[in-house]
């Protein structure tokens, strides 16, 4: 792991060869608490196995455009932070990104042996509905996107969320850019609102009570759509 990186010297950037460990920690955290993955994977007996594969391939796909961060070598908290400026808006870069998505899906095909082809397709469809495509409303402005943030169960309530989010906010202020995130967990809203994130869009999942809350922090307090 590398201390510092592009955000904060108090955080560690996780190397690519440690992606499986980070993915396992995320799977453990999401398996019980996240309504989206409970909806996608209703069978509790296979959910953890599927999430381990999914997060491994998902992080691998986004790793070139993101920082995979942790609070210490104990991995108390793990976050995947996407940087928009790393994804150049050229035909070549877009083609490369689409290729990485295709590879991620192909590498995730072992999930079919666990939940079947129909379950796999259903999961992909739901994830597309609850995706980060809403970020298009930010236009061509530079931003950081807090794609995922988990705290291991034994370390919760010890300030590790602040150890991740406060450096992100400080970097946004320094660069005068936005930070975005989304959550499907209603109880998370007050936590993020504490850090001055505001809900700018709510996306309902068809044929479900599930909703995605799309949130943005801006240093100047001027939210998308206020112009």
């Amino acid at each position: 792991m590398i201390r510092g990186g592009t955000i904060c010297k108090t955080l560690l950037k996780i190397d690519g060869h440690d992606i499986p460990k980070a993915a396992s920690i995320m799977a453990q955290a999401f398996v019980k608490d996240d309504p989206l993955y409970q909806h996608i994977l209703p069978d509790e007996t296979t959910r953890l196995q599927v999430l381990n594969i999914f997060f491994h391939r998902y992080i691998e796909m986004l790793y070139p455009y993101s920082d995979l961060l942790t609070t210490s070598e104990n991995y108390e908290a793990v976050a995947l932070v996407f940087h928009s400026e790393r994804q150049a808006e050229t035909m070549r870069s877009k083609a490369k990104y689409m290729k990485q998505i295709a590879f991620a899906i192909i590498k995730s095909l072992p999930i079919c042996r666990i939940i079947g082809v129909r379950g796999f397709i259903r999961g992909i469809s739901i994830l597309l509905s609850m995706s980060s495509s809403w970020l298009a409303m930010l236009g061509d402005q530079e931003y950081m996107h807090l794609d995922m943030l988990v705290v291991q169960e034994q370390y919760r309530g010890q300030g590790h969320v602040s150890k991740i989010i406060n450096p992100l906010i400080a970097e946004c202020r320094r660069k005068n850019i936005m930070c975005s995130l989304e959550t499907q967990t209603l109880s998370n809203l007050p936590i993020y609102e504490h850090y001055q994130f505001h809900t700018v869009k709510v996306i309902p999942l068809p044929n479900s009570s599930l909703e995605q809350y799309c949130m943005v922090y801006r240093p100047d307090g001027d939210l998308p759509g206020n112009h």
Side-chain angles (χ1 to χ4, degrees):
M1 288 187 286
I2 304 169
R3 184 167 295 280
T6 62
I7 294 180
C8 179
K9 293 181 180 179
T10 63
L11 297 174
L12 294 175
K13 183 175 180 181
I14 300 172
D15 293 330
H17 64 264
D18 286 324
I19 287 176
K21 180 177 179 179
S24 176
I25 288 170
M26 288 186 172
Q28 291 282 351
F30 280 117
V31 73
K32 295 179 182 178
D33 302 335
D34 191 273
L36 175 62
Y37 296 112
Q38 289 174 353
H39 180 73
I40 294 173
L41 303 164
D43 187 349
E44 296 180 6
T45 63
T46 59
R47 189 182 299 146
L48 181 60
Q49 187 180 1
V50 172
L51 289 181
N52 268 304
I53 298 171
F54 169 72
F55 284 126
H56 183 179
R57 300 312 178 189
Y58 183 78
I59 295 170
E60 200 173 56
M61 176 184 75
L62 289 181
Y63 192 79
Y65 312 97
S66 307
D67 284 331
L68 184 59
L69 302 168
T70 186
T71 41
S72 83
E73 293 182 357
N74 294 321
Y75 285 66
E76 298 94 345
V78 177
L80 183 67
V81 182
F82 175 85
H83 296 262
S84 65
E85 80 277 7
R86 298 185 191 176
Q87 191 177 29
E89 291 297 319
T90 64
M91 291 299 293
R92 184 175 181 179
S93 64
K94 289 179 180 178
K96 181 180 178 181
Y97 183 62
M98 294 304 296
K99 185 177 179 181
Q100 286 184 253
I101 292 175
F103 280 153
I105 293 173
I106 292 169
K107 290 179 180 179
S108 298
L109 287 176
I111 291 174
C112 293
R113 294 199 295 265
I114 305 169
I115 61 173
V117 174
R118 184 176 296 180
F120 182 80
I121 294 172
R122 174 180 175 270
I124 294 293
S125 175
I126 293 171
L127 288 173
L128 289 174
S129 298
M130 299 278 97
S131 72
S132 299
S133 59
W134 66 275
L135 289 169
M137 67 185 287
L138 303 184
D140 58 0
Q141 300 176 75
E142 183 181 339
Y143 63 88
M144 291 191 295
H145 182 65
L146 181 55
D147 196 287
M148 289 189 288
L149 169 60
V150 301
V151 179
Q152 292 195 64
E153 190 171 4
Q154 67 268 35
Y155 296 114
R156 293 174 186 173
Q158 300 176 25
H160 293 292
V161 169
S162 292
K163 290 180 182 179
I164 295 287
I165 293 184
N166 283 337
L168 298 187
I169 289 175
E171 182 69 5
C172 286
R173 288 174 179 162
R174 187 183 72 82
K175 298 176 71 174
N176 193 30
I177 63 172
M178 292 179 287
C179 186
S180 57
L181 61 86
E182 63 250 349
T183 181
Q184 295 81 30
T185 306
L186 187 61
S187 60
N188 283 346
L189 296 185
I191 298 173
Y192 294 126
E193 287 167 353
H194 171 76
Y195 298 98
Q196 304 303 308
F197 283 84
H198 299 277
T199 302
V200 297
K201 189 177 181 67
V202 179
I203 303 173
L205 178 65
N207 304 313
S208 167
S209 61
L210 207 61
E211 293 182 318
Q212 176 169 284
Y213 302 92
C214 308
M215 308 185 77
V216 171
Y217 166 85
R218 286 197 63 156
D220 58 10
D222 189 12
L223 297 176
N226 286 355
H227 296 283

